[in-house]
Amino acid sequence: MLSKLGVVMVGLSIALPAAAQDGGTPDPKGTEVWTPEPARVVPGSTSRAPSDALVLFDGKDAREWVSAAAPTKAAGWIVADGALTVRGGSGDIQTRRTFTDYQLHLEWRLPARLTGSGQGRGNSGLFLSTGTGNGYELQILDCGDNQTYVNGQAASIYKQYAPLVNACAAAGEWQTYDVIWTAPRFGDDGALLSPAHVTALHNGVLVQNHVALRGESLHAGKPAYRKHGPAPIRLQDHGDAVSFRNIWVRPL
Ligand code: MG
């Protein structure tokens, strides 16, 4: 009875107009925010980008991508069967456009038949920003049964953060990355005002939870920041024929 009475009383207090509230009871309308209304977005799926996304690769052409070494040249990778595949030795590719903060979706697939081991087995990478050149790499690598240093395995922020879990699918299967990227901010004098932050899901599983990056990824030496502004997103040619599809980004 008491609990029922309690529910009724709560309901009554919400229904009362603000003028009827006594001084000790806050008006719920005081904490309601009505504007601005969030834009309406049609959700996507694994095969369709949301309605407000910028599609970076739709399976048909690589027009949004250029050679990272020579950005005036087209990307030299292979577009076939709805996928964009690393042409080993042709070099990294990067987006024509530059970005600051964003949400990104990308699907990747390792060759079904892999050779090599460790960092030499199905290696590519999603550089969340090229930064000043080295960039910030979310690693792509075979992680089915492939020993390597954990801060260099798939879904690691290379040489900075191991993934929270290993959410890998088998080589030859399509896998997903969903990333929230907050770019670093710098002062006019180049001083770091706030580091980059990354939240990432691998195959829908949280692997990086708002980690603060220590700088651009380096193969050797400690990561470090140098001032940069909006920058392209880059995909790595590490010699393995890794494929990509359904890449889209929502600048924030
Ligand atoms: Mg890599």
Side-chain angles (χ1 to χ4, degrees), residues 119 122-127 137-141 152 158 236 238:
Q119 293 290 308
N123 197 330
S124 182
L126 166 61
F127 287 84
E137 184 183 11
L138 179 63
Q139 177 68 298
I140 290 173
L141 190 71
Y158 188 73
Q236 185 181 45
H238 203 282

Side-chain angles (χ1 to χ4, degrees), residues 120-188:
R121 188 174 173 86
N123 197 330
S124 182
L126 166 61
F127 287 84
L128 301 166
S129 162
T130 61
T132 59
N134 290 310
Y136 310 85
E137 184 183 11
L138 179 63
Q139 177 68 298
I140 290 173
L141 190 71
D142 179 41
C143 44
D145 183 18
N146 183 36
Q147 284 271 300
T148 189
Y149 39 95
V150 298
N151 62 350
Q153 73 179 68
S156 67
I157 299 296
Y158 188 73
K159 291 284 183 79
Q160 296 192 45
Y161 292 99
L164 294 170
V165 292
N166 179 340
C168 280
E173 295 182 14
W174 283 105
Q175 312 197 38
T176 61
Y177 275 164
D178 287 279
V179 181
I180 313 298
W181 167 255
T182 304
R185 301 300 202 266
F186 300 89
D188 291 339

